[in-house]
Amino acid sequence: MWTRFFTRKVHWADIIVVAVLVLFFGYIWIQIDGKLNYKWQWERIPTYLFRYDEDSERWVANVLIQGLLTTIRISIFASLLAIVLGVILGMARTAKNLTVRMLARTYLELLRNIPPLVIIFIFFFFLSEQVVTALNIESWAYAVSRSENVAIWEFFFGDMRRFPSLISGVIVLALFESAFVGEIVRSGIESVSKGQREAAQSLAMRWRDEMQIVVLPQAFRKILPPLANQFIVLIKDSAIISLVSVQDLTLRAVELANSTRMLFETWITVAVLYFVLCFGLSMLFRWLENRAKLVPD
Amino acid sequence: MIEIRGLGMYFGKFQALSNVSLSVEAGEKVVICGPSGSGKSTLIRCINRLEEHSSGQLFVDGVEIGEETRNIRNVRMEIGMVFQQFNLFPHLTVLDNLTVGPVRVRKMSRRDAERRARKYLQRVHIPEQADKYPSQLSGGQQQRVAIARSLCMEPKIMLFDEPTSALDPEMINEVLDVMVELASTGMTMICVTHEMGFARKVADKMVFMEEGEIIETAPPEEFFNHPRSKRCQMFLDKVLEH
Ligand SMILES: Nc1ncnc2c1ncn2[C@@H]1O[C@H](COP(=O)(O)OP(=O)(O)OP(=O)(O)O)[C@@H](O)[C@H]1O
Ligand SMILES: [Mg+2]
């Protein structure tokens, strides 16, 4: 791919495009560096990725990497939950029963036609005020944070004292994404031919077995690429829950930028972290997809 | 075994079956033929309720099929169905295609189901293909797997909807042979097919349909030699030309 890129002839139009870009970024640079009298402090950034812990004499993650880990955790949990909800939604959308279809459609349209931010504010405060309190999650999480096997819990959920807000964030994000996952699942279910379902029915299968054994496995094979893509979209969307004080990468960056005044360094670093994560995943998925194609079925 | 009385069936406003009556005794072989669009598929699909009839009565093994049928699955367990397009499960091996019904529906142990699956694969002459996927088999082999899959449920009745129409000519006979052998075991069979050689060999009763109605029902000799209706005569002339 790269060799092809370089061996291709460079056109004079390309040179103009590059020149314009250089001029544009040069201008912005001058504005920031000269006019704003901005003092770049790139050398301080690495210490906010990792810092040396005097007590344990080890390098440990600092705010930005902690934030990145939280973002990854939230994205994984929210995706798993979104897939469960999405499968239910997708099946409901293709159900025979009209009431079930209507309910699913209502849920979908509500989530699709209200800005995510508004959904998140409504659900987050409902969840964190009502559900989390009702289930006594808060005191449970504090108990865990003082227990002995806290290390295992922290591996999965990060700082346990932050668990209630993390779990609310995960649920809200999953609700929001489930609408999109549901539509992907529906398209997968509809791609399974009618004959397949008739064969299952004439073997006297229950609806559950028909779905579990015949329809969903075939549907999932078809929708794996769009689902993987939706996972990456979810990682990017997850930045939104920083607004309800879940300490993900974005919120950590806001705090860091405010306290150190390294506005550009912080946000450029954060952009790079998101990019590496999402682009890396999309390359990984593409590789897996190509490899799957090589295996004959 | 099967009793159909005055069956009517609509697709929206289009009447696909009108006033169809037919009775099939245990062990009887019925071959249904007729021009395209005459409702042959619709009729046999009503029997295991893949289509829902709108009037008349339908009994399978003494149980009435209809809105009120509590457990359509109990009836379907006794009815095997073979489709024109095979409809094998492409993501499962041949063996799994055969065992999934017995294991999931008949609650059989995996071991017993596998033993049974191998028995029926033997019966359709492809014991060596158990571990392949459907896409790795020829059309004729796939259709024989589909027959074996139905037989693994040990049904009392087998329905065939043009089982050889999607096959290349050289594969038709291997499937028909299996069906002839199956007929000799005393299975109750209803076959939609235009294979008149097969019909002559196994049919106890021939049925001719046109425009959603049964025009003629007769034993094979009478049906082939002295068809009563003119339309049936014309249809037979066309089919037998080949
Ligand atoms: N799902 C459906 N919706 C609407 N009309 C249908 C549907 N299925 C079948 N029909 C119509 O019902 C009539 C009978 O169809 P059927 O499939 O039973 O015919 P057939 O005798 O099996 O024909 P063929 O030899 O082509 O298989 C046809 O006119 C067909 O167009
Ligand atoms: Mg048909």
Side-chain angles (χ1 to χ4, degrees), chain B residues 139-140 143-144 163-179 193 195 198:
Chain B
Q143 192 60 297
R144 285 185 282 154
T164 56
S165 302
L167 296 178
D168 294 337
E170 70 272 19
M171 294 172 184
I172 290 178
N173 279 328
E174 65 191 49
V175 172
L176 290 180
D177 289 346
V178 165
M179 288 169 65
T193 182
E195 295 297 331
F198 167 80

Side-chain angles (χ1 to χ4, degrees), chain A residues 5 14 16 52 78 130 145-147 156 192 215 241 254 260 274 283 285:
Chain A
F5 183 79
D14 300 331
I16 292 182
Y52 189 74
Q130 306 291 320
S145 72
R146 284 191 299 271
S147 72
F156 286 108
V192 177
V215 178
I241 58 172
V254 172
T260 61
Y274 274 116
M283 295 303 271
F285 292 148

Side-chain angles (χ1 to χ4, degrees), chain A residues 96 193-209 212-215 217-218 221 296-297, chain B residues 45 48 50 73 76-77 79 81 83 87-92 97 100-101 104-105 107 133 135-136 149-150 153:
Chain A
K96 264 195 185 154
S193 77
K194 204 165 142 241
Q196 289 289 309
R197 307 186 71 153
E198 288 175 352
Q201 285 161 15
S202 51
L203 287 173
M205 280 193 196
R206 282 181 196 78
W207 178 83
R208 222 194 66 202
D209 289 338
Q212 188 193 329
I213 297 171
V214 177
V215 178
Q218 295 187 62
R221 256 155 244 230
D297 56 355
Chain B
R45 287 159 57 85
N48 66 353
L50 289 180
R73 291 185 44 242
R76 283 180 176 160
M77 275 191 226
I79 306 176
M81 178 135 186
F83 300 87
N87 293 344
L88 291 174
F89 305 131
H91 59 299
L92 301 180
N97 265 279
V100 62
R104 285 287 170 150
V105 179
K107 305 290 174 209
Y133 283 90
S135 59
Q136 295 168 313
R149 176 175 69 178
S150 290
M153 294 292 285

Side-chain angles (χ1 to χ4, degrees), chain B residues 121-141:
Chain B
L121 275 181
Q122 191 89 45
R123 185 83 64 86
V124 299
H125 314 303
I126 35 175
E128 71 285 355
Q129 311 286 10
D131 299 317
K132 289 201 182 158
Y133 283 90
S135 59
Q136 295 168 313
L137 303 181
S138 73
Q141 291 172 326

Side-chain angles (χ1 to χ4, degrees), chain A residues 85-158:
Chain A
L85 293 174
V87 168
I88 295 172
L89 185 62
M91 291 195 297
R93 290 269 287 149
T94 55
K96 264 195 185 154
N97 186 308
L98 183 67
T99 317
V100 173
R101 278 207 313 271
M102 295 265 281
L103 283 173
R105 181 77 194 271
T106 310
Y107 176 86
L108 177 81
E109 296 297 352
L110 277 178
L111 287 176
R112 260 210 307 221
N113 293 294
I114 299 173
L117 196 55
V118 177
I119 294 174
I120 279 173
F121 277 126
I122 294 173
F123 276 99
F124 185 83
F125 292 114
F126 169 72
L127 278 172
S128 58
E129 301 286 313
Q130 306 291 320
V131 180
V132 168
T133 324
L135 295 177
N136 228 349
I137 289 177
E138 208 137 341
S139 51
W140 173 81
Y142 272 95
V144 171
S145 72
R146 284 191 299 271
S147 72
E148 282 176 8
N149 49 8
V150 64
I152 304 166
W153 289 94
E154 292 203 328
F155 175 76
F156 286 108
F157 302 112

Side-chain angles (χ1 to χ4, degrees), chain A:
Chain A
M1 176 187 156
W2 291 112
T3 46
R4 189 148 37 94
F5 183 79
F6 282 118
T7 50
R8 208 165 21 179
K9 260 194 196 148
V10 179
H11 217 259
W12 61 267
D14 300 331
I15 297 172
I16 292 182
V17 170
V18 171
V20 168
L21 284 174
V22 167
L23 283 174
F24 176 71
F25 283 108
Y27 174 75
I28 289 182
W29 179 265
I30 290 165
Q31 287 294 312
I32 295 170
D33 208 41
K35 301 248 172 77
L36 281 178
N37 206 5
Y38 190 82
K39 196 163 148 282
W40 292 93
Q41 307 178 59
W42 277 109
E43 67 286 353
R44 288 176 63 197
I45 284 293
T47 62
Y48 292 105
L49 295 172
F50 294 99
R51 69 182 169 81
Y52 189 74
D53 187 36
E54 305 284 343
D55 299 337
S56 61
E57 300 183 334
R58 277 187 310 159
W59 284 94
V60 294
N62 204 354
V63 284
L64 288 181
I65 294 297
Q66 280 173 6
L68 182 67
L69 290 176
T70 302
T71 289
I72 293 173
R73 285 187 187 107
I74 286 177
S75 301
I76 291 174
F77 295 138
S79 294
L80 293 176
L81 188 55
I83 284 179
V84 173
L85 293 174
V87 168
I88 295 172
L89 185 62
M91 291 195 297
R93 290 269 287 149
T94 55
K96 264 195 185 154
N97 186 308
L98 183 67
T99 317
V100 173
R101 278 207 313 271
M102 295 265 281
L103 283 173
R105 181 77 194 271
T106 310
Y107 176 86
L108 177 81
E109 296 297 352
L110 277 178
L111 287 176
R112 260 210 307 221
N113 293 294
I114 299 173
L117 196 55
V118 177
I119 294 174
I120 279 173
F121 277 126
I122 294 173
F123 276 99
F124 185 83
F125 292 114
F126 169 72
L127 278 172
S128 58
E129 301 286 313
Q130 306 291 320
V131 180
V132 168
T133 324
L135 295 177
N136 228 349
I137 289 177
E138 208 137 341
S139 51
W140 173 81
Y142 272 95
V144 171
S145 72
R146 284 191 299 271
S147 72
E148 282 176 8
N149 49 8
V150 64
I152 304 166
W153 289 94
E154 292 203 328
F155 175 76
F156 286 108
F157 302 112
D159 186 353
M160 281 309 286
R161 283 163 305 175
R162 284 259 158 203
F163 183 77
S165 90
L166 181 98
I167 212 73
S168 305
V170 163
I171 294 174
V172 161
L173 203 55
L175 282 176
F176 170 61
E177 295 292 327
S178 69
F180 300 95
V181 176
E183 282 304 274
I184 295 174
V185 172
R186 180 176 72 103
S187 76
I189 290 176
E190 283 172 352
S191 77
V192 177
S193 77
K194 204 165 142 241
Q196 289 289 309
R197 307 186 71 153
E198 288 175 352
Q201 285 161 15
S202 51
L203 287 173
M205 280 193 196
R206 282 181 196 78
W207 178 83
R208 222 194 66 202
D209 289 338
E210 178 186 330
M211 277 293 164
Q212 188 193 329
I213 297 171
V214 177
V215 178
L216 291 180
Q218 295 187 62
F220 265 99
R221 256 155 244 230
K222 291 235 174 68
I223 63 176
L224 226 41
L227 274 185
N229 186 51
Q230 191 62 31
F231 177 58
I232 293 168
V233 171
L234 184 142
I235 294 175
K236 287 186 289 174
D237 285 351
S238 76
I240 208 171
I241 58 172
S242 63
L243 284 163
V244 287
S245 69
V246 177
Q247 288 192 311
D248 73 329
L249 181 55
T250 301
L251 184 63
R252 285 307 180 89
V254 172
E255 292 169 354
L256 186 65
N258 285 344
S259 61
T260 61
R261 304 189 154 260
M262 294 190 294
L263 217 61
F264 290 107
E265 295 90 326
T266 305
W267 286 110
I268 291 170
T269 307
V270 166
V272 169
L273 288 174
Y274 274 116
F275 181 84
V276 169
L277 180 61
C278 293
F279 187 67
L281 280 173
S282 93
M283 295 303 271
L284 175 71
F285 292 148
R286 198 177 307 168
W287 180 74
L288 287 173
E289 201 183 321
N290 284 336
R291 224 181 53 150
K293 271 189 205 133
L294 295 179
V295 182
D297 56 355

Side-chain angles (χ1 to χ4, degrees), chain B residues 48-224:
Chain B
N48 66 353
R49 209 161 171 76
L50 289 180
E51 306 292 358
E52 297 174 7
H53 60 267
S54 33
S55 59
Q57 285 179 306
L58 170 58
F59 297 88
V60 175
D61 211 9
V63 180
E64 176 160 14
I65 312 288
E67 298 278 327
E68 298 83 33
T69 313
R70 267 294 137 107
N71 214 338
I72 189 66
R73 291 185 44 242
N74 286 338
V75 180
R76 283 180 176 160
M77 275 191 226
E78 306 305 331
I79 306 176
M81 178 135 186
V82 176
F83 300 87
Q84 184 175 350
Q85 301 295 340
F86 327 141
N87 293 344
L88 291 174
F89 305 131
H91 59 299
L92 301 180
T93 62
V94 166
L95 196 65
D96 287 337
N97 265 279
L98 267 60
T99 54
V100 62
V103 169
R104 285 287 170 150
V105 179
R106 294 251 191 232
K107 305 290 174 209
M108 213 183 230
S109 76
R110 245 213 100 73
R111 266 190 58 209
D112 292 348
E114 264 182 41
R115 193 174 312 136
R116 186 185 276 188
R118 291 190 192 280
K119 178 175 107 186
Y120 284 109
L121 275 181
Q122 191 89 45
R123 185 83 64 86
V124 299
H125 314 303
I126 35 175
E128 71 285 355
Q129 311 286 10
D131 299 317
K132 289 201 182 158
Y133 283 90
S135 59
Q136 295 168 313
L137 303 181
S138 73
Q141 291 172 326
Q142 289 188 46
Q143 192 60 297
R144 285 185 282 154
V145 171
I147 293 172
R149 176 175 69 178
S150 290
L151 291 177
C152 276
M153 294 292 285
E154 309 220 309
K156 292 182 183 153
I157 302 162
M158 286 287 286
L159 308 175
F160 293 84
D161 190 359
E162 306 203 29
T164 56
S165 302
L167 296 178
D168 294 337
E170 70 272 19
M171 294 172 184
I172 290 178
N173 279 328
E174 65 191 49
V175 172
L176 290 180
D177 289 346
V178 165
M179 288 169 65
V180 172
E181 286 163 27
L182 180 63
S184 70
T185 65
M187 174 71 75
T188 310
M189 290 165 69
I190 303 182
C191 311
V192 174
T193 182
H194 293 156
E195 295 297 331
M196 291 306 154
F198 167 80
R200 271 183 213 271
K201 217 181 280 177
V202 307
D204 298 309
K205 193 188 273 173
M206 293 296 303
V207 172
F208 176 72
M209 289 184 74
E210 191 167 61
E211 290 177 355
E213 289 177 74
I214 291 184
I215 305 285
E216 189 152 343
T217 310
E221 279 109 276
E222 197 183 318
F223 183 84
F224 287 112

